[in-house]
Amino acid sequence: MVSWQANDGIKSAVVGLLSSGLSGYAFNHSDIGGYCAVNLPFIKYNRSEELLIRWMELNAFTTVFRTHEGNKPTCNSQFYSNQRTLSLFARCAKMYKAWYFYRSQLVKEASQKGLPICRHLFLHYPNDRHVHNLSYQQFLIGTEILVVPVLDKGKQNVKAYFPEGETYPWKHIWSGKLFTEQGSEAWVEAPLGYPAVFIKDGTSVGETFLENLRNFGIL
């Protein structure tokens, strides 16, 4: 659904992403913006511009970055609807391209070990009981990138959780702020175009990702 819902909307897309990854589907994604719109007199589900942009941010950190007009294109905001959506689509596409080198590594690993690209935190932090309670709130790309997407209408920040058992500090890619306390939560600003994404500070993957973002002119 072109909605913010947990059972059939952007939140459920993350649940499907992570659960299918655990079921052997290492490469997966969702339609940017969702697919199913409803435009009846008594019920309406139409894709808003905000939902489209947040879904762009989400899918910039999945295996495939792909839009879909949906089953009712004229009822939905599209990436080509105006200059703002085009600009933010280009920005998210650059985010997607910036971790291409790591995506290639993870695809190779998936072919050898069956591990998904996008992972639930409990795969790498099984002794942290808090991560067992997470569903769609955040996920890992491999082991090096932590993504905390905005999945609620009107929100400009998110609550990130930094798991126990991690030896590296997590660095917020846009501000450079370090989060060093294991097993802690923090509210992080996430205006449109700046999804809450963190790298392990001082690792080659993280530094290469940041360098690519700089080269693409978005950091």
Side-chain angles (χ1 to χ4, degrees):
M1 296 293 290
V2 292
S3 77
W4 302 93
Q5 295 177 106
N7 295 325
D8 194 359
I10 190 171
K11 296 181 182 72
S12 69
V14 181
V15 174
L17 174 74
L18 301 180
S19 61
S20 62
L22 292 172
S23 303
Y25 294 89
F27 317 126
N28 42 38
H29 70 289
S30 59
D31 300 327
I32 291 176
Y35 174 78
C36 187
V38 178
N39 196 35
L40 298 173
F42 54 89
I43 185 170
K44 293 184 185 294
Y45 285 96
N46 298 327
R47 181 195 297 157
S48 68
E49 184 173 301
E50 182 188 6
L51 177 65
L52 174 68
I53 293 168
R54 290 307 191 186
W55 219 311
M56 290 177 189
E57 295 173 355
L58 169 64
N59 275 27
F61 296 94
T62 63
T63 312
V64 179
F65 185 71
R66 178 184 62 79
T67 62
H68 202 302
E69 290 185 316
N71 64 326
K72 297 182 181 296
T74 58
C75 298
N76 293 327
S77 180
Q78 307 290 353
F79 79 92
Y80 51 78
S81 291
N82 55 56
Q83 187 56 47
R84 184 189 191 208
T85 53
L86 273 171
S87 176
L88 284 169
F89 179 75
R91 180 178 176 82
C92 290
K94 291 174 181 178
M95 294 179 206
Y96 176 73
K97 186 177 181 181
W99 66 281
Y100 168 79
F101 72 99
Y102 189 42
R103 191 161 57 249
S104 299
Q105 296 175 31
L106 294 173
V107 166
K108 183 177 181 179
E109 182 182 50
S111 71
Q112 297 170 341
K113 300 179 180 180
L115 286 169
I117 309 302
C118 300
R119 304 171 185 175
H120 195 286
L121 273 71
F122 77 75
L123 279 176
H124 297 292
Y125 306 99
N127 296 322
D128 186 338
R129 299 302 302 174
H130 184 81
V131 304
H132 291 238
N133 297 319
L134 299 174
S135 55
Y136 52 75
Q137 292 88 352
Q138 58 189 73
F139 60 90
L140 292 166
I141 297 175
T143 60
E144 303 295 311
I145 301 174
L146 177 66
V147 181
V148 189
V150 175
L151 303 174
D152 290 296
K153 181 180 179 180
K155 296 291 185 180
Q156 296 293 314
N157 58 13
V158 289
K159 184 189 289 185
Y161 176 74
F162 304 101
E164 296 178 356
E166 179 52 59
T167 57
Y168 287 93
W170 291 99
K171 178 188 283 188
H172 183 234
I173 64 170
W174 308 116
S175 68
K177 183 177 179 180
L178 294 178
F179 296 86
T180 59
E181 185 179 351
Q182 296 184 23
S184 66
E185 293 180 321
W187 284 98
V188 179
E189 294 299 313
L192 291 173
Y194 295 86
V197 178
F198 307 83
I199 58 166
K200 290 181 180 179
D201 185 43
T203 66
S204 60
V205 168
E207 293 307 313
T208 302
F209 179 46
L210 292 180
E211 184 63 25
N212 288 343
L213 292 173
R214 293 187 193 99
N215 291 340
F216 296 150
I218 60 173
L219 181 62

